[in-house]
Amino acid sequence: MPKNGQITTYDDAGFPTDAINATPVLTGTAGSAVIKAGPGRLISALVTTAGTGTDNLTIYDNASAASGTILAVVAGGGTVGAVLNFSMPAVNGIYASNVASGPAVTLGWS
């Protein structure tokens, strides 16, 4: 164990599961964003704006487009402040696709 008492755990692909980068995914306009352009792990989402109940934010295992394997769906109309834990491996990358009235979240990824 390190002298400072901090331990980093790793998944089976060698990515840290505790080290989280934070990326805001904003609402108000429809849009998509590359969260990570290579392999990694989608760890969590913090809901910062609920959005409309029927509109969802979809997160894909893709480095450049809203297609492929779906890693997670954050439902519109959720609770602000809710933390959703995923811990999903992304082989190709992490790509978020949102609609104009979808939820706003901050994604945690490694």
Side-chain angles (χ1 to χ4, degrees):
M1 175 155 41
K3 292 181 180 180
N4 65 8
Q6 294 180 341
I7 299 172
T8 300
T9 58
Y10 295 86
D11 66 14
D12 55 348
F15 295 103
T17 59
D18 296 338
I20 298 178
N21 299 295
T23 301
V25 179
L26 303 176
T27 190
T29 58
S32 299
V34 175
I35 306 302
K36 185 169 185 181
R41 180 171 290 271
L42 176 64
I43 297 175
S44 62
L46 167 66
V47 178
T48 56
T49 303
T52 301
T54 58
D55 294 325
N56 302 325
L57 165 70
T58 305
I59 306 163
Y60 296 89
D61 182 354
N62 195 313
S64 61
S67 63
T69 302
I70 295 175
L71 296 174
V73 175
V74 179
T79 303
V80 173
V83 177
L84 309 171
N85 293 304
F86 305 117
S87 193
M88 293 294 295
V91 175
N92 302 302
I94 302 172
Y95 193 89
S97 179
N98 207 353
V99 295
S101 55
V105 301
T106 297
L107 296 177
W109 52 271
S110 66

